[in-house]
Amino acid sequence: MLNFLKKEMNTTYTENGAKAYRSTESCCLDMFFKAGAMRSSTDAEIAAAVTRAYAEDADKTMKIVFFARDARGGLGERRFFRTAIAALTQLAPGAVKKNIPLFAEYGRYDDLCVLLGTSLESEAAAEIKGQLEKDVAAMKRGERVSLLAKWMPSVNASSKATCIMGRRLAHLLGMSEREYRKVLSGLRRYTDIIENRLRERDYTFDYEVQPSCAMFKYRGAFIRNDGERYKGFLDKVHSGEAKLNTGRLYPYDIVRAAMNINITAEERYSLDTSWKSLPDLNAAKHENAIAVIDGSGSMTCGMGIRPIDAALSLGIYFAEHNTGAFADHFITFSATPQLVEIKGRDITEKVRYCKTYNEVANTDLEAVFKLILKTAIKNRVTQAEMPAKVYIISDMQFDHCVTGGNNEVLFRAVRKLYAKYGYRLPEVIFWNVNSRCDAIPVTRSETGAALVSGYSPAIFDMVMGGECTPEAVMENILSSERYAHITAA
């Protein structure tokens, strides 16, 4: 009876009536599947996910939290990390304290400021003070310093909240506001951060060594105030003579900017250069795969980066890096699936072209699988010619399943349908870009499926090869050397 009750309680439905699961049957995996898609979630919702996961497995929870923040090899989700750390500071302060020295490695030094006003603020201040002293000493020796000064809150910032934080930190460091301000100013000048140059209208810096986010953020200023030199740099990037840093840039940053109807020719050129400079993919080169993009109405909801913007950018990105049979193509679905071949002279033209295929209607994912199967049957396509992997980039609010009368979740129903006609269902990567409710497509041990989330194209490589079950994919990521030092105890 207990098992029957558990099974009954784990059944739910998407917003569009499809049968789904409330949980993967693992709280850690639930959080892993949501972490990169909780930008619109409340602090309480994030805290609840973290609390449940920590009760199940403390070490694994800490690894997921740092993986979610990891700006270099993970998801780069700053708000999720800071909210999760705030919750964990109340729940398990010892576990957070143990990992304080690793905050800057996976994120930025100002992530430590989330601990101000908590029981761990002294430890956070000690970490900051230690690095500050190292940087001052290195500056005096003419050696390289960290970016701590860049990210520390100023006592004279335009934001009142930032000023309050800066004053609190100065006090914890045992410095007057004047001393604190002078130390930060000196280090910022020494590190030659681009913001100082722009403030002084000094455009003698080297574009090639500037960080990716700054290069993208200030492109308008470069065009207005240093247009000729900036264009010359972009020309060199196009010809391979120079390198544009894009390591921490998301495809959606570029795609969203390309949607601006008032974009200038100079900015179009800048965006196209950035797009072509994005890191390459191993997965696209080695797998016979295709991305499937949710273009339904629910994907247009939300503030800031909309799920549909993220999904479209990832779809175009993967298609263009794909060297297999489905190169330069992706499938979009809403009311009806459509195979899109990317066309256009630059990324702006490509985005505008691809956008015309967004129906913004319902969410009939089943039709995508049926289209692939119908085409295979009709043309006697071999299993080898079928997609080996399908990336479903969506908010997971699928329509009710017609096959099997919605008595089964979609994944199991279409897998049986493919087997009926002698085909093996491709591996399905359910990629969550907006976690609005508990509607999960598969449970932890489902073979041939994986659960991921977020806006980072690095995920394509993370799910390449190996055993394809939701839990196995998560374990493979978290057990990597990158997260070996993250523990709760």
Side-chain angles (χ1 to χ4, degrees), residues 449-461:
L451 298 170
V452 296
S453 64
Y455 297 169
S456 172
I459 296 170
F460 286 112
D461 282 342

Side-chain angles (χ1 to χ4, degrees), residues 27-150:
C27 294
C28 286
L29 184 56
D30 290 350
M31 185 172 75
F32 181 84
F33 183 50
K34 296 176 181 179
M38 298 189 80
R39 293 189 178 185
S40 298
S41 300
T42 65
D43 289 356
E45 287 169 335
I46 295 174
V50 172
T51 301
R52 292 176 182 178
Y54 195 86
E56 179 179 275
D57 190 316
D59 281 352
K60 194 174 295 183
T61 298
M62 294 302 295
K63 291 181 189 294
I64 294 170
V65 168
F66 275 85
F67 163 70
R69 178 63 181 106
D70 192 355
R72 297 165 186 83
L75 304 181
E77 293 297 317
R78 186 167 68 233
R79 177 176 170 256
F80 176 88
F81 175 80
R82 293 181 178 181
T83 306
I85 288 296
L88 286 168
T89 300
Q90 294 184 339
L91 181 68
V96 177
K97 179 180 177 180
K98 175 180 171 56
N99 292 285
I100 283 176
L102 300 173
F103 274 41
E105 166 63 26
Y106 294 88
R108 301 190 321 207
Y109 281 102
D110 56 338
D111 289 339
L112 288 162
C113 293
V114 76
L115 299 177
L116 299 183
T118 73
S119 62
L120 295 177
E121 71 170 5
S122 295
E123 287 81 356
E127 182 70 19
I128 292 169
K129 185 176 183 179
Q131 186 61 51
L132 198 61
E133 290 173 348
K134 290 178 183 177
D135 286 346
V136 170
M139 178 175 64
K140 290 177 180 178
R141 295 192 300 268
E143 297 172 358
R144 187 176 180 179
V145 302
S146 75
L147 290 176
L148 179 140
K150 176 180 180 177

Side-chain angles (χ1 to χ4, degrees), residues 1-10 25:
M1 181 63 182
L2 179 60
N3 289 334
F4 291 138
L5 278 172
K6 287 183 176 181
K7 184 176 179 180
E8 188 67 28
M9 293 302 295
N10 198 33
E25 298 173 353

